[in-house]
Amino acid sequence: MRWIAVATTAAALALIPGTASADIPPDSSRGGEGGGGLKDGKLTSTIQITGDKRQPGQTSKGFTADNNWTPPACWYEPRSAAEFQKYVEAFYSETVNYPGQHSYAKTAVGQFREIYKDGKYKNYNLDKASEGAFWVSVVNPDRATELAAMSCSDLPEWVPNGTPPPFRQAITPEMLAQAAYGAINLPTTEVSLAPANNTKVNLATWAWMDGGVFEPKSVTATINGGGTTLSATATATPASVRIKPGTGDATLHPASGECAFNAGGAGAGAPFAPGSENQTPPCGVTYLRSSGGATFPLQATVTWTAHWSSGGSAPQALPSATMVGEPQNVTVQEIQAVNR
């Protein structure tokens, strides 16, 4: 997931003059867990993501959040005076020196620079560096084409330490929790089977999920810069797994096909143990007919419940999510009887 910090010029309200990009989770090639530095004339986000996080560019295949949940389209976060100066000057230099650059773009970025260098602010408030920070907008590129992403179009403003930022979408612990929630790396959904992939008609197939893999996953998002320190942790916990046998000619165990995860992190269902051949598995399926030389596409879906907390606060709910697994091909054969 990538997030983009955007500085909008006063003279180019119809244009996005330039972007400063950052990765969430941060790209390790840019210096570890984040930190709001400057690279190639672009600001990197001050947000740090730690814990059971996805790697940059990685996606959780099959992940769907309930209630049509979407992460924030944009927000505002702080930049130090020195950092903001470096960004504006680099952006200005790049724009005016770019071969063939149109005059209106040079004028716009020049007017933008003037606000902070010699206009409303003097020399980027460097003489007040310890007293506050510039707050700039951050846009989620996954929603960059949506109208909501344009709602964070105010110019960067200086905010003294201890003063609430004058932006409705200023970063909050809940926003950090949503960013952390979107970065959780959930395991690929695959159920263990016994017999594995090749079973018999009317023979119970045991299904289970390993508690060492399917366990609570937590990610913490922290912002620490410009006199502001906020943190929030999002945690997803596996609640149940639903089995679809791939055919209507099957009996599910339990009948709902939904197996709850066991208490104490013991996973879901139970592995088959010798001597259990005549027992009904706590989680599994009994096929009632042969797959006829083909296979049945058994599929498992894990439901994850989620919550977040910040600074020792009481947990607050996040949307539940489901992770749909890839079909697992199961061959079902008739038991051949031999008459003597």
Side-chain angles (χ1 to χ4, degrees):
M1 183 184 299
R2 297 182 63 233
W3 301 81
I4 300 178
V6 180
T8 308
T9 72
L13 296 180
L15 300 172
I16 301 289
T19 61
S21 64
D23 292 325
I24 294 186
D27 185 343
S28 59
S29 68
R30 287 220 296 257
E33 300 297 332
L38 187 75
K39 181 177 176 62
D40 300 329
K42 297 182 178 182
L43 293 173
T44 60
S45 178
T46 57
I47 294 177
Q48 301 176 32
I49 297 288
T50 57
D52 299 311
K53 64 181 182 180
R54 291 182 286 105
Q55 296 303 310
Q58 181 183 358
T59 60
S60 291
K61 190 174 183 180
F63 176 86
T64 303
D66 293 346
N67 304 324
N68 296 318
W69 179 86
T70 53
C74 63
W75 64 48
Y76 295 85
E77 62 180 50
R79 298 290 187 272
S80 70
E83 183 185 28
F84 186 67
Q85 178 203 32
K86 289 180 181 179
Y87 167 58
V88 174
E89 291 297 324
F91 178 55
Y92 171 80
S93 178
E94 179 181 341
T95 302
V96 299
N97 294 317
Y98 188 81
Q101 183 67 270
H102 199 285
S103 60
Y104 71 75
K106 295 181 180 181
T107 299
V109 74
Q111 291 178 343
F112 174 72
R113 177 191 187 217
E114 182 68 16
I115 294 172
Y116 303 97
K117 188 174 186 295
D118 299 306
K120 179 179 179 180
Y121 305 98
K122 303 302 180 183
N123 195 28
Y124 300 96
N125 276 2
L126 289 174
D127 60 335
K128 304 177 182 178
S130 63
E131 301 175 18
F134 285 101
W135 283 64
V136 300
S137 62
V138 175
V139 173
N140 177 359
D142 292 337
R143 302 188 63 192
T145 59
E146 300 178 28
L147 186 61
M150 299 302 295
S151 64
C152 298
S153 59
D154 292 336
L155 290 171
E157 287 194 32
W158 176 263
V159 179
N161 295 336
T163 302
F167 306 109
R168 181 174 60 85
Q169 293 115 313
I171 192 71
T172 65
E174 184 172 7
M175 289 179 177
L176 288 173
Q178 292 171 337
Y181 175 69
I184 293 176
N185 185 31
L186 298 180
T188 301
T189 299
E190 184 173 358
V191 64
S192 298
L193 302 172
N197 306 322
N198 194 327
T199 188
K200 307 296 183 182
V201 173
N202 293 323
L203 176 67
T205 298
W206 291 58
W208 69 95
M209 307 196 86
D210 185 0
V213 175
F214 293 88
E215 59 186 359
K217 306 291 183 181
S218 292
V219 164
T220 297
T222 303
I223 187 167
N224 185 8
T228 297
T229 300
L230 296 172
S231 181
T233 298
T235 300
T237 302
S240 64
V241 55
R242 180 175 293 276
I243 305 293
K244 292 184 178 180
T247 175
D249 294 317
T251 298
L252 291 167
H253 314 292
S256 65
E258 187 166 3
C259 309
F261 273 76
N262 305 312
F272 174 80
S276 302
E277 290 83 358
N278 297 322
Q279 297 181 18
T280 300
C283 185
V285 57
T286 299
Y287 287 98
L288 305 180
R289 69 175 178 89
S290 166
S291 56
T295 58
F296 291 132
L298 181 145
Q299 192 169 38
T301 299
V302 174
T303 295
W304 296 77
T305 59
H307 68 271
W308 69 276
S309 60
S310 176
S313 64
Q316 301 184 56
L318 284 166
S320 297
T322 55
M323 281 284 286
V324 180
E326 295 289 335
Q328 298 175 231
N329 295 323
V330 178
T331 298
V332 182
Q333 299 174 327
E334 293 279 1
I335 299 176
Q336 300 297 319
V338 178
N339 295 320
R340 293 182 181 271

